[in-house]
Amino acid sequence: MGSQPALSHQRTLVAVAPWEIKGIDPAKSGIIFQRMEIVETLTSVDHDGNLIPCLAESWSTSEDGLTWTFAIRKGARYHDKSKVTPQNVADSLNISLGKPGMLRKMPIKSIRAEGDNVIFELSEACAMLASGVAHYTACILAPAAYDNNGDVIRLIATGPFEVTRFELPQKIKLRAFRDYWGSVSQIRTAEYLAVARNETRALMAQSGDADIIFTLDPVTLQRLKRFHRIRVSTTPLPRTIVIKMNCTHTGMNTPELRKALSKGFDRKGIALTVMREEQSAAQQLFPPALGIWHLDSLEQPDPTVGSYKSLMMKQGWKENSEGYLEKDGSLLEFTMTTYSDRPELPVCATALQDQMRKMGIKLNIAVSNSSAIPQGHNEGTLEMGLMARNYGLISDPLGSILMDYAPEGGDWGAMNWNSPVMQKSLAAIQKTTTPEKYAEHVKTVCTILHDEMPTIPVVSYVHSAAYANDIVGFSLDSLERSYRISEMRWDH
Amino acid sequence: MVRLVRNLVLQSSLALFVVGTLTFVLTKALPGDMGYRIAAGRYGHDMVDTAAAELVRQELGLGQSSISAYFHWLMDLLQWNLGESMVSGAPITDILKHEFGSTLTLALAAIAIAAIVGPTLGVLVAFTRSRTVDRLSVALSVATRSIPSYVIGIVLIVVFAIWLDVLPAAGCGEPINYVLPALTLALPLITVSVRITSASLKDVMEQDYFEFSRLKGLGWCQSLLRHGMRNMSIPVIAYHGVQLVYLVEGLVIVETLFAWPGIGHSMAHAIFARDIPMIQGTCMTLALSFILLNTLLDILYRWVDPRERKS
């Protein structure tokens, strides 16, 4: 079993997480392959969220922002010992471009090899390209990994770990890749095991059957802290629970009303009782892990339920005997659609229901599945949605912002809201080449999103893990890109 | 025998048709857009948007009418083509071949434990003739039957994996991994089997032929082996036939709890992802296994009871 003493070169590190392996194609399960450090991308992200070279040693962009040049790392090898060349990197990226993934979300005209470089030609400037190619769907596989149709038949990549055995859908066995271009991992063998149930993962942590257990609910984490052979680690994630609103609906149709509504929420209460982490309370969409996208100047005000009520009363609404606002015989009533795919969402919705009752709003909750929100958005029937949005798909949330806050709105963003000033800034960001200008535009975008509140952030998630106390060098990636096993070692 | 085989083929064909049709209709009746659900199953919730859902819809032809999709499935079924998983894209038959082995070995391990331990303890309970032991066996059988297998599984993990630290909490691949999930499935079967066996044996022991065998001078064990065992087995076998349905039901829960890569576990995931061919494939396999195991018990029943053979 995992925690029993063994020689360091013999002991296998067992990492347990809830996600099953759906296949060996990175378009489907690349997120697991990236986290287990099997696959790599042109660029990567360091512990502070900065973009760093990976299979590309450096990169540059033309003045018009339409041509990006990535210099491919010399001396890198695939797990089958073949050399990484610009041509096979370009081929791999072109195959990924034909599948759903991050590359398809960017205006890429062509990807080709030229000398020691891989060149991206774009149809329009795209500042997030360098962070976009760090996404797992843009990982680089060896030519032998594909069949003639471009389907992945073997997972041959370049990461610090190579696959020794797949046992789909639950297990991957790995060993350290000795010809890795960087430092060879001191953990010689590792195993990924998908365990869907939180209870089972917790019991595996207690029994020592697993060395690192990811994604545990807050109550379990509190309990595991009591065991001497387990350590617990948490870090805020750029995944935020957000209220999406139809911004033309009565009671939500002005920035003042939406801000007053936001002020009425007791976020700390929800953070403590639902997420069990006070630091989860989210006054803005982006947590500090997203660097310049986080506004430092914002404070956490105490909830004030009266301001929303008084604004509505100025519009002729009156409080009825039950405390709800009423006008011409109609109640101020919304339906909030949410989904149980993330079990905390319905609980969070009921907390908001109670808090909105104090503001005079009758909130009905419709618990469905996650498709109900984009469907309601596209049909125009959605009044209010409560959803969990991941802004850390890549290190730069620009891609999510462009999709969510487009002039016509977005499935997981604004509905019937548009800000020409923000669109101007978003267009300018795309063409910006200097970090200072980029940060300036980002600040404008974030300030508008906070001032006009087309969506209201409520709480953010916390990434959690329990790990055996004889692991040295454990750290959590707040972007959930990597489990960083190659940076760890055994303490004996 | 010919009639038995004919019945088996008829039952199996009917079960395939009914189970496949029902799962198709029920899955279609579930709320939510299938394009989004399947895209979420394939690419993860974070990568799902209208464009990804549309791509999935086009690729899988989700726009076609339900009747047309159903007849396509039916025609494919007649050619024994169960289709491909909407999530992984792998052929269903390949997935089932891979996963059915895990499920079958686990189920057989559970049945073997139950079939050996249950009747043996039942004989011992009947032999002791102690009211306390008898009452204890009633209490245990009521408790294990009323507690969901999920809870039994967690209790076993806590006791054997955490407190005693002698067995792995979950996982698969090693023979030792079988112990806890098989025991979780077998425990309710064992305790009720103890009740059935002891009641049946007590009944047999009160029969004239058993008394006569004792008067002939045979010892208790000899009487049991020569005259009691076969008569006692009839209700025990009948009981195990009925209990198989609990075993199939328990597999879904137990496989999920113990991270066991079987078809019960796959079925639960396929339902969340609206992977219709996978739901149909797993349900039909479970239904066929149930029919096959019941047929085997029928054969055993006929072998044990000569009256059945004559009739």
Side-chain angles (χ1 to χ4, degrees), chain A residues 15 17 19-21 23-46 51-55 79 93 96 102-103 130-141 155-163 166 172 174 180 190 192 214 390 392-395 463 475 477-488, chain B residues 43 46-47:
Chain A
W19 302 282
E20 294 211 328
I21 311 142
I24 60 166
D25 190 337
K28 287 173 185 161
S29 289
I31 194 160
I32 297 168
F33 307 151
Q34 189 176 55
R35 286 171 180 169
M36 290 303 291
E37 301 176 88
I38 303 164
V39 298
E40 287 184 318
T41 43
L42 289 179
T43 58
S44 188
V45 181
D46 68 9
L51 266 190
I52 51 167
C54 189
L55 280 180
H79 295 152
L93 288 167
S96 302
M102 194 49 72
L103 292 179
S131 52
V133 294
H135 192 253
Y136 65 85
T137 51
C139 68
I140 311 296
L141 301 187
L155 193 65
I156 307 169
T158 57
F161 286 97
E162 58 181 321
V163 176
F166 266 119
I172 315 174
L174 309 159
Y180 181 57
Y192 174 86
F214 292 97
N390 183 2
L393 284 176
I394 52 176
S395 61
H463 184 21
S475 66
D477 179 359
S478 57
L479 291 174
E480 272 190 295
R481 278 176 52 86
S482 171
Y483 290 152
R484 298 175 177 165
I485 294 172
S486 66
E487 296 173 18
M488 300 174 199
Chain B
Y43 312 119
D46 291 335
M47 291 298 286

Side-chain angles (χ1 to χ4, degrees), chain A residues 20 22 27-28 100 105 136 168 170-171 197 199-200 203 207 209 239 341 369-371 374 378 390 411-412, chain B residues 31 33 36-37 41-43 45-46 48-50 87-88 98 150 161-162 168-169 172 257 259-261 265 274:
Chain A
E20 294 211 328
K22 290 164 198 142
K28 287 173 185 161
K105 294 182 191 294
Y136 65 85
L168 300 180
Q170 282 174 308
K171 205 186 272 186
R197 296 217 60 94
E199 298 84 344
T200 312
L203 292 167
S207 66
D209 287 320
R239 187 193 300 280
D341 305 58
N369 56 62
S370 56
S371 65
N378 288 306
N390 183 2
D411 288 348
W412 301 103
Chain B
D33 185 291
Y36 283 100
R37 299 299 296 170
R42 275 189 184 185
Y43 312 119
H45 286 288
D46 291 335
V48 175
D49 55 19
T50 304
V87 173
S88 70
H98 171 70
Y150 181 72
I162 296 173
C172 57
L257 179 66
W260 193 266
H265 177 80
R274 303 286 193 278

Side-chain angles (χ1 to χ4, degrees), chain A residues 77-138:
Chain A
R77 284 181 185 273
Y78 294 109
H79 295 152
D80 64 354
K81 309 285 168 68
S82 62
K83 279 185 182 169
V84 174
T85 67
Q87 187 55 55
N88 55 46
V89 169
D91 291 344
S92 179
L93 288 167
N94 275 311
I95 291 172
S96 302
L97 191 57
K99 295 175 182 178
M102 194 49 72
L103 292 179
R104 280 174 81 120
K105 294 182 191 294
M106 294 186 286
I108 298 170
K109 261 192 348 193
S110 70
I111 305 170
R112 62 188 159 80
E114 198 177 277
D116 293 336
N117 306 318
V118 166
I119 316 283
F120 283 69
E121 298 284 357
L122 310 183
S123 55
E124 55 187 87
C126 175
M128 61 166 197
L129 186 90
S131 52
V133 294
H135 192 253
Y136 65 85
T137 51

Side-chain angles (χ1 to χ4, degrees), chain A residues 354-366:
Chain A
D354 184 57
Q355 294 180 12
M356 283 161 100
R357 186 180 54 78
K358 290 174 189 157
M359 290 186 257
I361 302 165
K362 185 171 190 327
L363 186 73
N364 305 307
I365 297 169

Side-chain angles (χ1 to χ4, degrees), chain A residues 345-391:
Chain A
L345 286 178
V347 185
C348 191
T350 52
L352 290 169
Q353 184 183 44
D354 184 57
Q355 294 180 12
M356 283 161 100
R357 186 180 54 78
K358 290 174 189 157
M359 290 186 257
I361 302 165
K362 185 171 190 327
L363 186 73
N364 305 307
I365 297 169
V367 180
S368 183
N369 56 62
S370 56
S371 65
I373 289 182
Q375 205 173 355
H377 173 93
N378 288 306
E379 289 168 359
T381 52
L382 189 81
E383 291 180 1
M384 216 177 224
L386 187 72
M387 60 202 192
R389 183 70 171 135
N390 183 2
Y391 297 105

Side-chain angles (χ1 to χ4, degrees), chain A residues 37 52 89 94 115 121 124 142 149 151 166 169 181 219 229 234 242 261 268 271 303 314 323 376 405 414 427:
Chain A
E37 301 176 88
I52 51 167
V89 169
N94 275 311
E121 298 284 357
E124 55 187 87
N149 301 320
D151 291 329
F166 266 119
W181 57 266
V219 180
R229 66 176 174 191
T234 57
V242 174
L261 190 65
K268 275 186 190 166
K314 277 183 199 161
Y405 300 95

